[in-house]
């Protein structure tokens, strides 16, 4: 299905106890960064966050990533997109590969559902098979307040789009070239998901900032990049979580 459609869904990947901690982590991040919209809790906050690194290192997630990128795995980036009730911003149609400093563009996105994700609260929508097309140009769109502020510069046939309806703990996996986006959240229910971008360690992060803020070596051979050191947990400074004593 991934080869033909460009996406696949794995159900019940993460247990509800850990999802509860992820929920608490989102609230902790929002309290820590009150001036940042909850859709913008991105990779720059990851390097000094032991829980976040613990989460993206979870074997259940990395095992899924390994199916797509092989045994030598690094984290490229991760980003919470938490759309608040009634005012959550849309993500306009785009292809991830148009934005990322990666060479070659070998990368897979795991989208971990923190909340129930539905058409009503702005779930991810994908255009199946669109990953087999080239990466199109992107353009600014200032007419709509959106998460990226950009959109794909070609027309998208929305009638072809499929809603990614997910429950907390489910994971949707998609190709970097697939055309996808999401609508605004006009419902009374928050819609939060965590994007996790895993690369084979043979993919070079070409951004001038090295090591990249969210580059972490997770499994196998380290390959061509330099990486952030694993952050140590400091009580009172970091989000408290189950197993934090192993991160001191």
């Amino acid at each position: 299905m991934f080869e033909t459609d460009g996406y696949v869904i794995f159900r019940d990947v993460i247990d509800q106890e850990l999802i509860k901690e992820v929920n608490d982590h989102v609230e902790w991040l929002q309290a820590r960064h009150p001036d940042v919209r909850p859709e913008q809790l991105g990779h720059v906050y990851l390097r000094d966050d032991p829980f976040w690194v613990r989460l993206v290192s979870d074997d259940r997630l990395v095992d899924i990533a390994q199916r797509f990128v092989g045994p030598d795995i690094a984290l490229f980036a991760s980003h919470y997109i938490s759309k608040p009730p009634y005012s959550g911003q849309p993500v306009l149609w785009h292809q991830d590969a148009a934005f990322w400093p990666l060479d070659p563009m070998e990368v897979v996105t795991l989208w971990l559902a923190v909340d129930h994700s539905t058409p009503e609260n702005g779930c991810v929508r994908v255009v199946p098979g669109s990953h087999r097309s080239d990466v199109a140009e992107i353009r600014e769109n200032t007419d709509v307040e959106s998460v990226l502020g950009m959109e794909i510069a070609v027309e998208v046939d929305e009638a072809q789009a499929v809603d990614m309806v997910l429950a907390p703990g489910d994971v949707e996996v998609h190709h970097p070239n697939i055309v996808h986006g999401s609508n605004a959240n006009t419902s009374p229910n928050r819609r939060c998901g965590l994007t996790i971008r895993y690369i084979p360690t043979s993919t070079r992060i070409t951004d001038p900032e090295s090591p990249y803020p969210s580059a972490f070596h997770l499994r196998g051979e380290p390959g061509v990049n330099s990486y952030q050191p694993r952050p140590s947990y400091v009580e009172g400074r970091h989000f408290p979580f189950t197993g934090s004593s192993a991160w001191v």
Side-chain angles (χ1 to χ4, degrees), residues 37-176:
R37 279 198 64 97
E39 299 97 337
Q40 300 290 349
L41 295 169
H43 70 280
V44 294
Y45 305 120
L46 203 158
R47 76 179 112 194
D48 187 37
D49 194 320
F51 174 76
W52 202 332
V53 178
R54 173 260 177 271
L55 179 59
V56 301
S57 304
D58 192 288
D59 281 336
R60 291 166 290 187
L61 298 172
V62 181
D63 285 349
I64 291 174
Q66 183 164 329
R67 300 188 188 196
F68 301 92
V69 300
D72 303 318
I73 304 172
L75 179 76
F76 163 55
S78 184
H79 188 134
Y80 283 110
I81 304 179
S82 182
K83 296 184 183 182
Y86 302 115
S87 62
Q89 293 179 344
V91 179
L92 306 181
W93 293 113
H94 68 286
Q95 295 163 292
D96 291 335
F99 294 91
W100 291 344
L102 298 174
D103 183 29
M105 191 54 65
E106 293 179 10
V107 53
V108 70
T109 292
L110 274 61
W111 198 99
L112 171 64
V114 183
D115 299 326
H116 286 278
S117 188
T118 67
E120 291 72 33
N121 67 2
C123 67
V124 173
R125 308 177 75 213
V126 307
V127 179
S130 57
H131 67 298
R132 297 196 298 270
S133 300
D134 292 337
V135 178
E137 294 292 317
I138 52 174
R139 63 192 173 201
E140 268 192 84
N141 184 329
T142 56
D143 297 334
V144 181
E145 285 196 9
S146 68
V147 174
L148 299 175
M150 308 285 284
E151 65 180 355
I152 195 168
V154 296
E155 290 303 310
V156 175
D157 182 0
E158 298 199 23
Q160 301 298 315
V162 176
D163 293 320
M164 300 292 100
V165 178
L166 305 172
D170 290 350
V171 170
E172 181 265 341
V173 181
H174 60 257
H175 190 280

Side-chain angles (χ1 to χ4, degrees), residues 14-32:
I14 298 299
D15 61 272
Q16 294 309 299
E17 290 76 17
L18 182 52
I19 289 295
K20 167 72 168 59
E21 286 196 299
V22 178
N23 262 298
D24 293 343
H25 183 232
V26 173
E27 293 182 5
W28 180 86
L29 281 169
Q30 288 184 213
R32 192 178 177 91

